[in-house]
């Protein structure tokens, strides 16, 4: 089983009432579609700055995150294929967490 960090990109930060409604919709979808694969539902995030020893790389705006377990990248993609965030016009990025 592999672990995947899912990050959400490309949506303007909405008002509090929209966040609450969207979060409830996402939670219902996650329970139904991800089931036991869901490790951490996650949360919205705001950029708080960067730390680097020299010039930092360009910051990437991340709207939120989720962590899931899946047997493969293909299975992770399949689990996320009907994610409501995509229907809202956002982009989902899937990163495999490697064990070192």
């Amino acid at each position: 089983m592999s672990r995947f960090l899912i990050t959400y990109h490309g949506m303007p930060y909405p008002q509090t009432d929209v966040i609450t409604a969207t979060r409830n919709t996402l939670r219902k979808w996650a329970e139904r579609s991800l089931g036991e694969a869901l490790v951490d539902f996650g949360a919205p995030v705001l950029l708080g700055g960067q730390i680097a020893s020299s010039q930092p790389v360009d910051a990437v705006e991340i709207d939120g995150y989720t962590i899931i377990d899946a047997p493969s990248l293909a299975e992770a993609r399949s689990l996320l294929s009907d994610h409501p965030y995509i229907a809202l016009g956002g982009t989902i990025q899937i990163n495999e967490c490697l064990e070192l």
Side-chain angles (χ1 to χ4, degrees):
M1 191 70 64
S2 295
R3 184 151 291 177
F4 296 90
L5 171 66
I6 312 308
T7 54
Y8 305 99
H9 308 265
M11 295 289 290
Y13 202 76
Q15 302 297 329
T16 304
D17 57 335
V18 175
I19 292 171
T20 301
T22 301
R23 193 161 173 81
N24 289 338
T25 299
L26 292 176
R27 213 173 261 290
K28 288 177 186 172
W29 173 86
E31 290 170 1
R32 183 184 71 252
S33 297
L34 298 178
E36 294 295 316
L38 184 63
V39 173
D40 182 350
F41 180 73
V45 298
L46 295 173
L47 180 62
Q50 295 178 296
I51 300 173
S53 61
S54 60
Q55 183 65 29
V57 299
D58 291 342
V60 175
E61 199 64 46
I62 298 172
D63 299 326
Y65 76 95
T66 298
I67 298 173
I68 66 170
D69 282 340
S72 66
L73 175 59
E75 180 64 22
R77 292 179 66 86
S78 177
L79 286 169
L80 298 164
S81 65
D82 65 342
H83 197 296
Y85 194 80
I86 298 167
L88 293 171
T91 298
I92 293 176
Q93 180 169 306
I94 305 168
N95 294 285
E96 186 170 359
C97 302
L98 302 177
E99 288 194 37
L100 301 176

